[in-house]
Amino acid sequence: MTEKIYSYRSGNAFTKNPLVPEYDACGNLLIKDVHHFEQMTTFNRSTNISERIVHSKGSGCFVKMKITDPLSDITVAKPFQNAGEEYEGILRMSTVAGERGTGDHSTVRDPVGTSFKFKTPYGVMDWVFNNTPVFFIRTGGTQFEHFIKSQKRDHRTGLGADYDATQFWDYLTLNPESIHQVTYLFGDRGKQVYPYFNAYSGHTLKFINKDNEVTYVQIHVIQDEGVKNIVNGDEIPIFGPDSNRAHLQSTLEAGKKYSWTCYVQTMTPQQALDFKYNVNDLTKVWSHKEYPLRKFATIETTAPIDNYFEQVEQVAMSPSNLIMDGIEPSNDPVLVARLFSYDDAHRFRFNSPNYDQLPINRPLNTECPYGYKTNNKVDHIPANLTRDGFMSLGASSDKSFISSVDNSIKFPPSAVCPITGKSAPAHSHYVGAKYRADVDTEQKGLKANQVKDHETVAKVDSNLSFMEGINEIDIEQATALYEKIYTKEQQERMAKELINHASTTKSPIVRKRIPQYWGLVNKDLGAKIAEGLNVEYEYLPLKEYCESLKTGE
Ligand code: HEM
C-alpha cells in the first residue's frame, strides 16, 4: 500500500520536524526554510475567497439524481431522455441575507436557498432554486439590489432588523407584489430543518421537443418525508447559529439518507396564453389541480461533505447552467437577469473566469490533463475558444483550444429552431466565412422549421405587462395561502412573528404602513398587527393603498 507522507505542497516528502522552523547558530529564522514560508503564506490566503453577496451562509452534502420517467416528449435536453440514468451532484442550502458567520435557519427566518449541481455526461446542470415557489420581486436585476440591500444590515449603522427593521419593511411595503413571498416567509416555512425542505424552480422554463413544440415548465423537488419546520425550537438540538448544519452533517454521518421526488408542471402555449396570471410572473404559483405534477426523477443524498471550503465555498452554482439544447429560459425578467448575474458574481468571487475548472465545478467531460482522469462515459469532449487566465487548470490545454476553429471541432446542428435563439448550422463542421446568398437560402429553410404555435408562443413571451403597476389579482394568492392553507394556529403564530419582527421599526411612517400592507392580505390580520405595533389602523383597499404611498403617509 502507498504510504501517506508529510510533504511540501509540491508533493516532495518533507523530512524534518514540520513544527520546528529552521534557524541558524545565532537563533535567526532562515528564509531558505521554504516549508515555513509556504505554511504562513498559505494560511494568510486560506480565507481568500470573496463571500457571496447573497446566500453566504451555506451547508452542503452530496446527492445523486436518477431519471425515472423520461421527458423526451417535451424536450430534447439530453439529461432527461433515458430512464435509469444517474447523475452525481452536490446540494448547497443557504440563508439569503446573512453573512457567512450568521445563523442558519435554526435561528434565522429567511427563504432556504436550495441549489443543486449535477454532473451529467452531457455537461454540468445546475438547479439554483429556493424552498418557496415564488419570490419577492418580478422585474429583474435593478429591483434585486434595492430589495437585497434592504434585507441586509443598515449601511449607516451596520445594524440589522433586530435593532431597526425600518429598511426591511420600507422596501416590502413600497413593493406590495412581494406579499405572497413574505406570507410564506413569516408562516411556519420561514424556518426549516435541513434538509426537510422542497425546492422549486419558481421561474418558468421553455422546454422544446424534436417537433419544435414549446412547453412551459416549472420544476418541483418534493421532500419524500415531508417538510419539517422549526416552530417550537425543539425540532432539532439548537445550540447556536450552526444547529441546522450540525443536524445535517451528524445525521448523514450516522448513515441517514434523505430523498426527494422531482416533478414538472407543464402548460401548452395556448394554456399559457389563457392563464389567469402571467407565466413570466415569479410572484405566482400554478394550480396543481389544473396543471398536475408529473414525476420524472428522484434525488437522494449519498454522502456528507468532507471539505467545507472546496465543496461548499468553492461550488459555483448558476441558472445559466440549466440552459441547453431543448431548455430555453422564459422571458421572466428575473430569470434573464440571473442568467447574467451569477456568472459575473463567480468571476468576481474567484477573481477569475476559470472557477469552473475547479474539481467541484468541473464538467465530467473536461478531464484534467495534469491530474485526475474521469472514468465516466462522457457524451463529447467540449471545445470552445476561451483560454488562459488566472487559475487555468488544464481545460485549455486540449489541442482543440487553438486560436482559430479547425475541422476537428464539430458543430452539431441544434435540435431546436432558431426562433428560440439557437443557430442551427446545416453542417457539422466549421466551413469558414459563408457567402451571403448561401446564408439567405439557409435561413429560408430554417424559417419553414420554426416552433409550432409560433404566434401563440410569441404572444406569451412578449407579455410583460405586470412590470407596470399592481393589481388585485397580485394579492389573491397570498390571501388564499393565509386564509385557506394556514390553520388558525398557524395564522396566530404568523401574526405574532410579524409583530415581533416589525416591533423594532423606528420610522413612524413605515410602522404605520406595515399593518396596511398586511391588511391587503386579510383585514383582520392588518388590525391585529396594528394593535401589536401600537399604531392607528385604517384599512385601505389596494387602490387607496397605492395612493397613500405617493404622499408617504
Ligand atoms: C434578479 C434576481 C436575482 C439576482 C440578481 C440574484 C443574484 C444572486 C447572486 C449574485 C448570488 C451569489 C452567487 C455566488 O456568488 O455564488 C445568488 C445566489 C443564490 N441565489 Fe440568487 N439572485 C436572484 C434571484 C434569485 C431567485 C429568484 C432564486 C430562487 C428561485 C435565487 C436563488 C439563489 C440561490 C439558491 C443562491 C445560492 C447559490 C449557492 O448555493 O451557491 N436567486 N443570487
Side-chain angles (χ1 to χ4, degrees), residues 163-339:
Y163 178 76
D164 182 0
T166 296
Q167 66 170 26
F168 184 98
W169 288 108
D170 185 46
Y171 174 86
L172 297 173
T173 53
L174 288 174
N175 295 273
E177 69 276 17
S178 59
I179 210 157
H180 193 188
Q181 169 77 81
V182 191
T183 306
Y184 266 95
L185 196 58
F186 280 87
D188 285 352
R189 299 170 214 191
K191 278 186 179 177
Q192 296 199 325
V193 177
Y194 289 0
Y196 291 103
F197 42 68
N198 299 336
Y200 302 91
S201 64
H203 302 289
T204 302
L205 298 154
K206 279 158 71 185
F207 279 24
I208 299 161
N209 70 8
K210 61 177 179 359
D211 299 321
N212 273 333
E213 286 163 330
V214 171
T215 304
Y216 291 89
V217 170
Q218 296 212 340
I219 299 175
H220 299 238
V221 182
I222 306 295
Q223 234 290 352
D224 289 335
E225 292 178 66
V227 299
K228 273 194 196 159
N229 304 314
I230 298 184
V231 176
N232 302 315
D234 56 2
E235 291 80 3
I236 51 167
I238 308 273
F239 59 84
D242 297 334
S243 307
N244 243 325
R245 184 186 289 171
H247 174 260
L248 174 78
Q249 189 74 14
S250 59
T251 52
L252 289 170
E253 282 175 5
K256 167 87 181 146
K257 297 265 183 215
Y258 298 95
S259 64
W260 292 262
T261 304
C262 309
Y263 302 89
V264 282
Q265 256 189 314
T266 63
M267 280 192 202
T268 63
Q270 191 59 46
Q271 283 175 315
L273 194 64
D274 298 340
F275 188 40
K276 176 175 183 189
Y277 307 106
N278 189 310
V279 286
N280 291 314
D281 180 351
L282 182 54
T283 64
K284 302 295 184 298
V285 290
W286 301 1
S287 144
H288 286 208
K289 210 156 127 211
E290 284 172 65
Y291 310 101
L293 297 181
R294 168 180 166 183
K295 179 181 170 190
F296 69 96
T298 54
I299 296 175
E300 67 168 15
T301 55
T302 50
I305 53 148
D306 56 12
N307 188 323
Y308 181 80
F309 190 83
E310 289 185 7
Q311 294 156 357
V312 182
E313 281 298 290
Q314 289 200 327
V315 74
M317 304 282 188
S318 175
S320 62
N321 287 346
L322 180 51
I323 305 309
M324 58 186 79
D325 219 22
I327 304 182
E328 293 285 319
S330 67
N331 282 5
D332 171 349
V334 179
L335 173 58
V336 178
R338 294 180 74 202
L339 296 178

Side-chain angles (χ1 to χ4, degrees), residues 128-144:
V128 196
F129 297 175
N130 278 343
N131 73 325
T132 56
V134 292
F135 201 57
F136 304 86
I137 65 169
R138 57 180 177 178
T139 66
T142 42
Q143 213 185 3
F144 187 73

Side-chain angles (χ1 to χ4, degrees), residues 103-169:
D104 55 31
H105 291 86
S106 52
T107 56
V108 168
R109 180 171 294 278
D110 214 356
V112 187
T114 50
S115 45
F116 297 86
K117 182 178 287 296
F118 298 110
K119 304 279 185 92
T120 85
Y122 318 103
V124 168
M125 174 171 67
D126 292 351
W127 293 359
V128 196
F129 297 175
N130 278 343
N131 73 325
T132 56
V134 292
F135 201 57
F136 304 86
I137 65 169
R138 57 180 177 178
T139 66
T142 42
Q143 213 185 3
F144 187 73
E145 161 148 40
H146 185 28
F147 154 66
I148 284 291
K149 292 281 164 71
S150 75
Q151 310 297 294
K152 287 181 164 283
R153 291 170 190 275
D154 188 312
H155 69 278
R156 295 163 305 176
T157 60
L159 291 163
D162 287 343
Y163 178 76
D164 182 0
T166 296
Q167 66 170 26
F168 184 98
W169 288 108

Side-chain angles (χ1 to χ4, degrees), residues 208-494:
I208 299 161
N209 70 8
K210 61 177 179 359
D211 299 321
N212 273 333
E213 286 163 330
V214 171
T215 304
Y216 291 89
V217 170
Q218 296 212 340
I219 299 175
H220 299 238
V221 182
I222 306 295
Q223 234 290 352
D224 289 335
E225 292 178 66
V227 299
K228 273 194 196 159
N229 304 314
I230 298 184
V231 176
N232 302 315
D234 56 2
E235 291 80 3
I236 51 167
I238 308 273
F239 59 84
D242 297 334
S243 307
N244 243 325
R245 184 186 289 171
H247 174 260
L248 174 78
Q249 189 74 14
S250 59
T251 52
L252 289 170
E253 282 175 5
K256 167 87 181 146
K257 297 265 183 215
Y258 298 95
S259 64
W260 292 262
T261 304
C262 309
Y263 302 89
V264 282
Q265 256 189 314
T266 63
M267 280 192 202
T268 63
Q270 191 59 46
Q271 283 175 315
L273 194 64
D274 298 340
F275 188 40
K276 176 175 183 189
Y277 307 106
N278 189 310
V279 286
N280 291 314
D281 180 351
L282 182 54
T283 64
K284 302 295 184 298
V285 290
W286 301 1
S287 144
H288 286 208
K289 210 156 127 211
E290 284 172 65
Y291 310 101
L293 297 181
R294 168 180 166 183
K295 179 181 170 190
F296 69 96
T298 54
I299 296 175
E300 67 168 15
T301 55
T302 50
I305 53 148
D306 56 12
N307 188 323
Y308 181 80
F309 190 83
E310 289 185 7
Q311 294 156 357
V312 182
E313 281 298 290
Q314 289 200 327
V315 74
M317 304 282 188
S318 175
S320 62
N321 287 346
L322 180 51
I323 305 309
M324 58 186 79
D325 219 22
I327 304 182
E328 293 285 319
S330 67
N331 282 5
D332 171 349
V334 179
L335 173 58
V336 178
R338 294 180 74 202
L339 296 178
F340 166 76
S341 171
Y342 289 62
D343 297 335
D344 177 59
H346 301 328
R347 285 176 203 118
F348 165 73
R349 192 155 71 83
F350 294 85
N351 192 19
S352 163
N354 293 321
Y355 58 87
D356 50 10
Q357 296 180 28
L358 292 171
I360 194 69
N361 299 319
R362 202 174 176 93
L364 291 180
N365 44 8
T366 316
E367 284 187 344
C368 176
Y370 306 124
Y372 68 83
K373 295 270 177 221
T374 166
N375 292 323
N376 292 285
K377 264 175 64 188
V378 297
D379 183 61
H380 61 278
I381 297 166
N384 66 39
L385 301 178
T386 58
R387 59 193 296 183
D388 302 342
F390 171 56
M391 227 166 59
S392 181
L393 301 173
S396 62
S397 68
D398 187 280
K399 67 177 166 24
S400 60
F401 281 73
I402 52 175
S403 59
S404 64
V405 185
D406 72 9
N407 278 345
S408 71
I409 303 176
K410 300 286 179 223
F411 287 74
S414 166
V416 295
C417 133
I419 302 294
T420 60
K422 298 264 179 180
S423 69
H427 51 79
S428 63
H429 62 274
Y430 181 63
V431 290
K434 287 191 202 169
Y435 188 59
R436 169 63 66 80
D438 292 343
V439 176
D440 290 346
T441 317
E442 224 173 66
Q443 291 295 333
K444 267 188 208 140
L446 292 175
K447 282 249 159 59
N449 198 25
Q450 68 187 12
V451 285
K452 293 270 163 40
D453 293 329
H454 171 58
E455 279 175 20
T456 315
V457 171
K459 273 190 201 153
V460 173
D461 291 357
S462 60
N463 185 3
L464 296 182
S465 51
F466 60 82
M467 299 257 269
E468 310 282 346
I470 180 157
N471 215 332
E472 280 71 17
I473 66 164
D474 289 322
I475 310 292
E476 62 189 29
Q477 290 195 344
T479 301
L481 178 61
Y482 177 76
E483 291 179 358
K484 301 207 176 104
I485 299 188
Y486 291 171
T487 61
K488 281 271 166 279
E489 196 191 349
Q490 289 173 326
Q491 291 177 355
E492 287 296 322
R493 218 165 19 235
M494 177 171 153

